[in-house]
Amino acid sequence: MSITNTPSSNDACLSIVHSLMCHRQGGESETFAKRAIESLVKKLKEKKDELDSLITAITTNGAHPSKCVTIGRTLDGRLQVAGRKGFPHVIYTRLWRWPDLHKNELKHVKYCQFAFDLKCDSVCVNPYHYDRVVSPGIDLSSLQLTSSAPSLGLMVKDEYDFDGQAPLPTMDGGHSLQTIQHPPSSRGGPPSEPFGTPGLLSPSDASTASTSAFPSISVGSGNATSTWTRNSSFTPNMPHHQNGHLQHHPPMPPPGHYWPVHNELGFQPPISNHPAPDYWCSIAYFEMDVQVGETFKVPSTGPVVTVDGYVDPSGGDRFCLGQLSNVHRTEAIERARLHIGKGIQLEGKGEGDVWVRCLSDHAVFVQSYYLDREAGRAPGDAVHKIYPSAYIKVFDLRQCHRQMQQQAATAQAAAAAQAAAVAGNIPGPGSVGGIAPAISLSAAAGIGVDDLRRLCILRMSFVKGWGPDYPRTSIKETPCWIEIHLHRALQLLDEVLHTMPIGDPQPLD
């Protein structure tokens, strides 16, 4: 090595790697960074001029001009390092320049001849051949979504792999991608409206408070009732996802204090006077398409439940998936289960809204009609990637109730019109009898109990995603996932079906 302690391409790989490691920005673990740099140095050992260009660029922080530093382009354009795939120019630019970089924030300099976007057989990974640009709708300081077009939200293809590292998301715009990214928002300024925690005030307090929470909801059946309240000692300081848009989340109040609620939210009466169910949700765990273990029921007296990968069998407010055995479990499923870790936390709020907090080191993937609607997508059209530490609303009871009423009424009207069409009783000068007019009504008339029941269910996959952006087309192809049945919503659906019957509805399970 030269006397200036700056290596050259003639030095041993170990010396070069050691020197380049000293300039990394700290966004990745030391293990990952070392493997990524070792891999690159070995690829460049036979191209000494390019290796020297890399050393010059990195050790001078781009102060001196440097040539392209190229590696071969793979079939899918991504590079695998330590069991994780990502775009090569993004990997190395994150390592040496911007740890929080997203793929769509890079633009190559005009003199770069092998930039990633040029689609050459070789790809330049010189971090100083790329500039960072702010993409529309992305605030780099807080990752706040400000675009007015919901369908152009944050999209991501990559998922977490099995090395425990942070993700390397690819940020490609456009409506064709079906996975919508929900990273945690940074803490800082206040949200656009106060953060309310329904059910904190007693009914007597709620009747006199000028700014109040939702009224407490009675749970149980018969004369045995209790109050559905929040645990005041549970006061995490987590980011907040409200109405489909990322916002800052203020610190939680100390125990014994309550948040004021926006006047618009105060004093909302319950949707139904029917007593709330004894259990606010039930959770079934699946590996691929097989349910493993018994369904876990969460009592309404405990609105917060954790689903994790550990082994405590005592139940209560924790559903530990690590304790569940499956004789048909594959090695791939076993590997995925190892990364569930702290899992997720589900929180029931108000009469039946649901929020999710990702406690795991890996993302979870969620099917949520509420998030679909907030993102401007058709129900079931998207999979939502919830990043570690993110805290977002995934179910809105009032929205679900309106949707089930609309769908049930539409199906009932369509069924009646279809019957009239077949009988030739449709009024109007253009009416005709027979099957033809009925065909156009068949889709709406075909809405059944199962279709409405899906409105009351959430599905979440740990570690691995599914959909058009992944090799798995269905959640039933993911290694470990849960299905959450929301009992208050199912209770309301039962009422809707009784008031607006669809054919001969079967009782819900």
Side-chain angles (χ1 to χ4, degrees), residues 28-307:
E28 301 286 0
S29 70
E30 182 175 354
T31 300
F32 178 84
K34 186 174 182 180
R35 291 182 67 174
I37 295 172
E38 283 177 345
S39 174
L40 180 58
V41 170
K42 288 177 181 177
K43 286 182 173 71
L44 298 176
K45 239 338 189 173
E46 302 302 318
K47 297 187 288 186
K48 293 185 179 296
D49 57 335
E50 293 188 20
L51 182 53
D52 282 328
S53 289
L54 175 69
I55 295 170
T56 298
I58 301 306
T59 57
T60 65
N61 295 323
H64 298 296
S66 54
K67 300 177 182 178
C68 285
V69 177
T70 62
I71 60 174
R73 179 185 292 270
T74 59
L75 289 176
D76 66 354
R78 297 190 296 172
L79 177 70
Q80 181 162 320
V81 177
R84 210 176 86 204
K85 279 193 170 184
F87 293 105
H89 64 311
V90 176
I91 290 177
Y92 292 108
T93 307
R94 280 167 58 99
L95 274 178
W96 283 310
R97 298 193 71 183
W98 302 293
D100 59 344
L101 178 74
H102 294 295
K103 183 253 181 185
N104 69 333
E105 296 170 6
L106 282 183
K107 180 180 180 180
H108 64 271
V109 297
K110 60 183 180 181
Y111 52 82
C112 182
Q113 299 177 332
F114 297 95
F116 180 84
D117 293 335
L118 297 181
K119 308 295 184 184
C120 301
D121 291 338
S122 297
V123 178
C124 178
V125 294
N126 186 334
Y128 292 93
H129 276 205
Y130 295 89
D131 290 327
R132 188 173 191 177
V133 294
V134 178
S135 300
I138 298 180
D139 179 356
L140 295 180
S141 64
S142 64
L143 288 181
Q144 183 173 2
L145 198 61
T146 58
S147 173
S148 59
S151 63
L152 298 179
L154 295 176
M155 306 289 182
V156 64
K157 276 190 176 182
D158 288 344
E159 62 191 327
Y160 285 93
D161 283 297
F162 295 133
D163 63 345
Q165 304 296 331
L168 291 180
T170 61
M171 303 289 292
D172 301 306
H175 192 78
S176 62
L177 296 184
Q178 302 294 304
T179 305
I180 300 177
Q181 179 188 15
H182 299 271
S185 59
S186 62
R187 294 192 293 269
S192 61
E193 66 180 40
F195 175 69
T197 308
L200 282 173
L201 298 181
S202 66
S204 59
D205 293 335
S207 64
T208 58
S210 59
T211 55
S212 65
F214 287 100
S216 299
I217 305 298
S218 296
V219 296
S221 57
N223 295 325
T225 60
S226 58
T227 303
W228 191 347
T229 60
R230 194 66 51 245
N231 180 357
S232 62
S233 64
F234 181 75
T235 56
N237 186 359
M238 299 300 293
H240 176 195
H241 187 292
Q242 172 71 29
N243 295 332
H245 299 281
L246 294 174
Q247 299 178 341
H248 294 290
H249 190 292
M252 295 293 285
H257 293 72
Y258 306 117
W259 283 108
V261 176
H262 196 277
N263 289 336
E264 180 184 347
L265 301 179
F267 300 109
Q268 285 201 50
I271 298 173
S272 169
N273 291 325
H274 195 284
D278 294 325
Y279 300 94
W280 73 269
C281 78
S282 55
I283 307 170
Y285 170 64
F286 294 82
E287 293 177 358
M288 308 295 279
D289 59 351
V290 177
Q291 181 174 348
V292 177
E294 299 294 326
T295 299
F296 185 88
K297 294 184 177 181
V298 184
S300 295
T301 51
V304 178
V305 61
T306 300
V307 183

Side-chain angles (χ1 to χ4, degrees), residues 406-418 444-445 447 496 499-503:
Q406 292 167 0
Q407 289 194 17
T410 299
Q412 184 186 25
Q418 187 179 31
I447 297 175
V496 169
T499 57
M500 293 186 291
I502 305 173

